[in-house]
């Protein structure tokens, strides 16, 4: 009896097992019909040098953030490295503005008479480190790069690790105004000599879309306003050709109108910030359109035709 019952049940059990097996199989869906994940572009901000004109960077950041455009990585040269380090540390635009308005030249300028009246730069280094909570570059909230020029070789150096204040000091050491910054036996001066607006450094941090902010003074025949203005114009002339080539590699360039604001004019912070806001506001629609176009192109490239689709 048991034998006959087993004989009868075996085909039934086998049939049920096969049905369950086929039911558990997922239908084959051609890859072409599976929607790829949405493209996420990494936005980079490249902030150029320009001494006191650098307050315009804060206005640009304010307007970009207000428009929902947030940087994922930040690179800065000279004055751009000062603003960039504070922004990368986690400061929001209003905190940046408060810090700027509270900043005076005395808090970052330490003249040493025996070095020919040059600024040592230690005050600037300490100021930055205090503001970022004494965190090294690699522990800032956003990936950050400070660009400087190595004096011995004349080569561009990009600091992405180590002492944040020291890197900013190196990037901001204007020749003839600041003493060169000594790091590990080498000496560094202002990054504007080789990279006035650090577009390539922003790409090096992994940015897909780079927004460059150029605050350099355009060529003019006006008389320079003081020694810092003379040196600033000299650096601008030296780096102009390199700067134009690098700016061409940006996806968007913002040029705040800073007429009448000299490199040494720390009295017009509000005006410089406002000019940065105005320039960014004009640029926002173009930035959005270009970001959308890049996303669409990347999204389309992810959808490959399936060989059986035809």
């Amino acid at each position: 009896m048991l034998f006959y019952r087993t004989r009868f049940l075996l085909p039934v059990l086998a049939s049920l097992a096969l049905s369950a097996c086929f039911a558990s199989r997922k239908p084959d869906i051609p890859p072409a019909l599976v929607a790829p994940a949405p493209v996420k572009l990494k936005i980079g901000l490249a902030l150029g040098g320009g001494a006191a004109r650098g307050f315009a960077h804060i206005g640009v950041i304010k307007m970009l953030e207000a428009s929902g455009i947030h940087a994922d990585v930040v690179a800065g040269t000279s004055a751009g490295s000062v603003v960039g380090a504070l922004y990368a540390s986690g400061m929001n635009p209003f905190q940046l503005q408060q810090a700027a308005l509270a900043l005076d030249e005395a808090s970052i300028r330490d003249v040493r008479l025996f070095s020919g009246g040059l600024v040592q730069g230690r005050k600037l280094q300490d100021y930055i480190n205090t503001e970022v909570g004494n965190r090294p570059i690699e522990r800032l909230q956003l990936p950050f790069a400070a660009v400087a020029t190595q004096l011995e070789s004349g080569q561009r150096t990009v600091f992405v690790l180590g002492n944040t204040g020291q890197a900013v000091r190196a990037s901001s050491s204007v020749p003839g105004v600041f003493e060169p910054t000594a790091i590990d036996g080498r000496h560094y001066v202002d990054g504007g000599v080789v990279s006035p607006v650090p577009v390539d450094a922003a790409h090096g941090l992994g940015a897909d879309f780079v927004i460059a902010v150029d605050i350099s003074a355009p060529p003019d025949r006006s008389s320079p306003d003081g020694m810092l203005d003379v040196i600033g114009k000299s650096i601008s002339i030296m780096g102009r050709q390199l700067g134009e080539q690098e700016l061409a590699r940006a996806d968007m360039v913002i040029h705040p109108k800073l007429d009448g604001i000299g490199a040494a004019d720390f009295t017009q912070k509000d005006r410089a910030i406002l000019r940065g806001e105005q320039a960014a506001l004009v640029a926002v629609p173009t930035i959005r359109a270009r970001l959308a176009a890049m996303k669409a192109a990347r999204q389309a490239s992810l959808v490959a035709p399936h060989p059986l689709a035809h």
Side-chain angles (χ1 to χ4, degrees), residues 13-280:
L13 292 172
S15 175
L16 289 172
L18 284 172
S19 298
C21 178
F22 282 113
S24 65
R25 285 185 60 189
K26 295 181 179 178
D28 292 329
I29 302 176
L33 301 180
V34 179
V39 170
K40 173 70 171 73
L41 296 178
K42 187 177 286 189
I43 298 174
L45 203 53
L47 306 178
R53 296 161 67 92
F55 292 108
H57 290 314
I58 296 171
V60 170
I61 292 170
K62 280 180 66 178
M63 195 52 61
L64 291 179
E65 290 261 341
S67 303
I69 300 169
H70 306 283
D72 298 293
V73 302
V74 185
T77 289
S78 197
S81 75
V82 175
V83 176
L86 300 182
Y87 182 46
S89 75
M91 282 190 183
N92 63 44
F94 296 100
Q95 290 171 323
L96 281 176
Q97 183 162 334
Q98 287 179 336
L101 296 178
L103 182 66
D104 59 9
E105 286 188 83
S107 62
I108 58 171
R109 183 164 293 187
D110 43 1
V111 177
R112 293 213 295 191
L113 297 178
F114 68 83
S115 64
L118 298 181
V119 178
Q120 182 184 9
R122 182 73 197 197
K123 273 192 174 183
L124 174 61
Q125 177 175 325
D126 292 343
Y127 168 79
I128 292 295
N129 280 333
T130 298
E131 293 295 320
V132 304
N134 291 305
R135 285 174 290 168
I137 295 174
E138 62 271 22
R139 289 184 55 201
L140 298 180
Q141 189 167 307
L142 296 176
F144 170 67
V147 179
T149 305
Q150 190 186 114
L151 199 54
E152 287 82 1
S153 66
Q155 296 298 309
R156 183 188 70 150
T157 299
V158 181
F159 292 98
V160 294
L161 300 169
N163 188 310
T164 305
Q166 191 177 53
V168 169
R169 174 184 174 185
S171 180
S172 306
S173 293
V174 181
V177 176
F178 281 74
E179 294 178 5
T181 302
I183 302 176
D184 296 331
R186 298 184 184 276
H187 298 84
Y188 299 89
V189 294
D190 196 292
V193 175
V194 291
S195 182
V197 186
V199 175
D200 293 339
H203 278 302
L205 290 173
D208 301 299
F209 188 98
V210 174
I211 301 169
V213 186
D214 180 14
I215 58 169
S216 62
D220 61 48
R221 297 181 181 180
S222 63
S223 299
D225 181 19
M227 181 58 70
L228 185 57
D229 200 27
V230 171
I231 294 170
K233 287 184 177 181
S234 300
I235 292 175
S236 178
I237 292 168
M238 287 188 291
R240 185 165 295 137
Q241 187 171 358
L242 285 174
E244 288 173 356
Q245 293 171 0
E246 193 166 0
L247 278 175
R249 294 190 283 276
D251 298 281
M252 181 70 196
V253 182
I254 299 176
H255 296 279
K257 294 180 179 179
L258 300 171
D259 318 60
I261 303 177
D265 192 352
F266 281 77
T267 66
Q268 299 197 64
K269 300 172 188 175
D270 284 324
R271 186 177 170 210
I273 292 171
L274 178 60
R275 293 294 179 87
E277 291 176 7
Q278 292 169 338

Side-chain angles (χ1 to χ4, degrees), residues 271-293:
R271 186 177 170 210
I273 292 171
L274 178 60
R275 293 294 179 87
E277 291 176 7
Q278 292 169 338
L281 182 61
V282 171
V284 162
T286 303
I287 292 172
R288 283 178 172 160
R290 292 180 182 179
L291 278 169

